[in-house]
Amino acid sequence: MGSKVKGNYRWVICGLLFFATTINYLDRQVLSLTWKDFIAPEFHWTNNDYGNITALFAIFYAISMLLAGRFVDLVGTKKGFLWAIGVWSVGAILHAFCGIATAGITAGEWFVGFEGAKEAISHVHDFSRVVNVSVVLFIFARFILAVGEAGNFPAAIKTVAEYFPKKDRALSTSIFNAGTTIGALAAPLTIPYIAEALGWEMAFIIIGALGFVWMGFWIFMYEKPELHPKVSAEELAYIQQDEVMELSPIQPDVLVEQRKVTITNCLKHRQTWAYALGKFMTDGVWWFLLFWMPAYLSSVYGIKSSDFIGQLALFVLYSITMLSIIGGWLPSYFVDKMGLDPYAGRMRAMLIFAFFPLLLLLAQPLADFSFWYPVVLIGIGAAAHQSWSANLYSTVGDMFPKRAIATVTGIGGLAGGIGAFLINKSSGMLFDYAERHWSKVNGTSLHEVYPQFQQLETEKILLEQHGVISIEEFLKQLASTGEVVSNGINTGYLIVFSFCGVAYLLAWTLMKTLVPRMKQVIL
């Protein structure tokens, strides 16, 4: 038979994982690309409102990751993945109906379409009620999305462990993990257009429906390699070449897979804590870059995601992230050419990748020359994260038996989600605080020029008098009259970028301290 029979079907499965991850990130990006320019004006959201939604999504995702890992280990990869993508697709589509539900609760207009809901909400003068109701509804939709999306990575990492030997797992993980970049790359090229032409609601519906299409392919194309008719004996032998590592050193003839895996047992090992700390310190950086970059371009540079220049900037940013494919190749070089064990090779590669995010420290200082400087530097930082992340995921497969991989991945996901919650919540609060207290008009603090910004109600009255709904728009209006305006949100972004820049070196140091060298975990 040809070479395809000998060894190619595992890459078909890897391709399915890639598309699932792409859809996963498209679904979570719809809100970040529509909230600032399409949703916030309708519901009167602030940065803090959006920060609350994204922060709670992160914590829902974190807790769900822990449970999803156990769920996938219990029901198996095939069923686990189907449940995950089915639930998150429903959650994605639910976002589209938050406007109608808000109109029903605040205006008593339930049986209206999307445009009718907008009209009804526009006649509600109690802005606080509109904000609170809409935020709660979006949080609920985000909860459903998070529960489903949490299953993607535990199931994908488990699939990689089933279909690839350890030496190829970083590369295969890097390939499917590139779906995060492709999803982020495709999002600004499609979602703003859909929102502009058909409404933000249809962006959620169309993108959300893609998951149901993928489910059909997964049902007919996936099976465990030892049972799959398209996996030849030669390919199966290649996939299972390091199965001997699954044997107990005390009882060589007894497979460790016969023992029960629990979260408590996993937490007894330093390897679990090293992985969890790595996720806690760095996952939030990626989520911040993913969720806040469209708002960053809009707030700092006045570039909307629906504008051509905004779409081009986001496209360039996430195109640079494609360099992360190197993340899968570099540890293989260290293992094959330099003779290092998989963990040592991976940690050496991760140390190299940990230095690149330091460029984020220059993003805001160089922004005075051109917004393209931060776009490129943020892209490099995002690429470094994806390279780091692909190897961080693979450390689980290096040191844990297959049956525990989804569980440990879930534990790490919980830690990463908590980190993401903290950075998203604190960012939203910081940006609103920075706009109020660090912005200046003609060199004088905004709240000194306009004391009304010290109290919420008087602040709203002032904004209404000027026909705007946010401090950001108020500052732009002042600037248009010839006033010299400095928006304090720039300093807020500088603070967050500074943390993002050093997070990886801190994470690497903690991981290396906990697990200095390769040690197989026996459960």
Side-chain angles (χ1 to χ4, degrees):
M1 303 294 288
S3 59
K4 288 185 178 180
V5 177
K6 293 183 179 179
N8 280 342
Y9 197 75
R10 64 190 183 279
W11 295 109
V12 174
I13 296 298
C14 188
L16 283 176
L17 301 180
F18 166 82
F19 284 112
T21 306
T22 300
I23 295 170
N24 184 287
Y25 267 70
L26 276 170
D27 282 329
R28 72 175 65 178
Q29 273 287 80
V30 179
L31 182 61
S32 66
L33 285 163
T34 55
W35 86 271
K36 191 72 173 178
D37 300 327
F38 299 96
I39 298 176
E42 183 176 338
F43 300 119
H44 315 292
W45 288 358
T46 64
N47 288 302
N48 191 42
D49 294 322
Y50 176 67
N52 287 335
I53 293 170
T54 56
L56 287 171
F57 172 80
I59 206 69
F60 295 150
Y61 184 86
I63 296 171
S64 299
M65 276 282 281
L66 184 65
L67 302 176
R70 292 294 300 134
F71 178 75
V72 172
D73 277 336
L74 288 172
V75 306
T77 311
K78 187 168 188 173
K79 290 181 180 179
F81 227 143
L82 286 173
W83 272 104
I85 200 164
V87 170
W88 96 54
S89 297
V90 169
I93 293 172
L94 278 178
H95 288 72
F97 298 94
C98 290
I100 292 176
T102 300
I105 295 172
T106 61
E109 299 288 342
W110 286 97
F111 302 102
V112 293
F114 296 138
E115 291 302 319
K118 290 183 178 68
E119 180 68 19
I121 292 170
S122 68
H123 291 98
V124 178
H125 298 295
D126 188 350
F127 287 176
S128 296
R129 181 166 168 77
V130 172
V131 170
N132 293 334
V133 170
S134 62
V135 166
V136 169
L137 290 171
F138 271 88
I139 287 173
F140 175 74
R142 279 330 247 185
F143 168 73
I144 303 299
L145 182 70
V147 169
E149 287 203 342
N152 182 78
F153 283 97
I157 296 297
K158 188 176 180 71
T159 304
V160 165
E162 291 174 345
Y163 266 88
F164 291 89
K166 290 182 179 179
K167 67 177 184 177
D168 292 341
R169 288 177 191 170
L171 178 58
S172 54
T173 300
S174 179
I175 291 172
F176 91 70
N177 197 46
T180 62
T181 302
I182 297 299
L185 187 62
L189 298 180
T190 55
I191 292 168
Y193 281 118
I194 298 173
E196 188 77 39
L198 304 175
W200 62 265
E201 298 91 346
M202 289 306 299
F204 283 103
I205 291 173
I206 292 172
I207 300 300
L210 295 176
F212 296 112
V213 176
W214 183 91
M215 290 172 67
F217 287 95
W218 184 252
I219 289 172
F220 291 105
M221 296 178 68
Y222 172 85
E223 189 54 81
K224 287 187 176 182
E226 59 268 24
L227 302 176
H228 208 300
K230 292 189 177 181
V231 176
S232 67
E234 294 91 338
E235 184 175 12
L236 184 61
Y238 179 83
I239 291 170
Q240 298 180 341
Q241 61 182 270
D242 47 20
E243 283 296 291
V244 66
M245 298 298 291
E246 298 289 321
L247 298 175
S248 166
I250 300 175
Q251 295 176 289
D253 295 330
V254 178
L255 280 174
V256 178
E257 293 191 25
Q258 295 175 349
R259 299 179 182 176
K260 184 179 180 181
V261 173
T262 65
I263 293 174
T264 302
N265 287 338
C266 291
L267 290 174
K268 293 177 181 178
H269 299 274
R270 288 189 174 188
Q271 291 87 337
T272 302
W273 288 99
Y275 174 69
L277 277 172
K279 297 286 285 180
F280 174 78
M281 292 294 297
T282 61
D283 267 20
V285 176
W286 171 250
W287 286 45
F288 173 77
L289 298 181
L290 188 72
F291 288 156
W292 285 94
M293 285 310 95
Y296 169 69
L297 291 175
S298 179
S299 297
V300 178
Y301 307 106
I303 301 173
K304 296 183 178 181
S305 60
S306 56
D307 297 338
F308 171 76
I309 192 66
Q311 293 167 354
L312 179 61
L314 291 171
F315 180 82
V316 169
L317 191 157
Y318 293 120
S319 292
I320 296 172
T321 309
M322 286 298 296
L323 295 172
S324 62
I325 197 72
I326 298 172
W329 168 82
L330 189 57
S332 298
Y333 172 82
F334 290 139
V335 172
D336 295 337
K337 302 297 183 182
M338 301 183 66
L340 298 180
D341 63 66
Y343 180 75
R346 226 173 295 291
M347 289 299 289
R348 181 171 296 188
M350 289 169 68
L351 178 60
I352 294 172
F353 300 137
F355 280 100
F356 283 97
L358 292 175
L359 292 172
L360 292 174
L361 298 173
L362 301 175
Q364 278 302 95
L366 292 178
D368 291 337
F369 299 98
S370 170
F371 73 89
W372 286 110
Y373 286 110
V375 165
V376 171
L377 294 178
I378 292 168
I380 294 172
H385 170 85
Q386 292 298 74
S387 294
W388 163 280
S389 183
N391 284 279
L392 182 59
Y393 276 125
S394 297
T395 60
V396 180
D398 291 338
M399 294 184 289
F400 286 87
K402 290 180 181 178
R403 64 205 168 85
I405 286 174
T407 300
V408 177
T409 302
I411 294 171
L414 172 61
I418 293 172
F421 169 83
L422 292 174
I423 194 171
N424 277 285
K425 175 59 180 174
S426 59
S427 294
M429 295 174 64
L430 174 62
F431 297 154
D432 277 346
Y433 181 88
E435 278 190 330
R436 286 181 173 86
H437 297 277
W438 297 342
S439 295
K440 294 183 178 180
V441 180
N442 298 324
T444 305
S445 296
L446 179 67
H447 68 273
E448 293 181 16
V449 179
Y450 297 97
Q452 296 96 322
F453 284 115
Q454 297 295 328
Q455 296 181 5
L456 184 61
E457 289 304 318
T458 53
E459 171 189 310
K460 286 184 177 180
I461 294 172
L462 177 63
L463 294 177
E464 288 177 6
Q465 289 174 347
H466 286 78
V468 295
I469 62 171
S470 68
I471 297 176
E472 179 184 324
E473 291 183 356
F474 180 68
L475 291 171
K476 290 178 181 178
Q477 189 179 93
L478 288 177
S480 68
T481 64
E483 304 284 358
V484 180
V485 176
S486 172
N487 193 336
I489 201 171
N490 295 5
T491 304
Y493 276 102
L494 174 63
I495 293 171
V496 181
F497 283 144
S498 297
F499 166 76
C500 294
V502 301
Y504 296 84
L505 285 174
L506 290 174
W508 188 91
T509 301
L510 291 172
M511 291 181 66
K512 190 67 173 176
T513 301
L514 282 170
V515 185
R517 61 185 61 86
M518 175 82 170
K519 185 177 181 181
Q520 191 74 24
V521 173
I522 305 299
L523 291 172

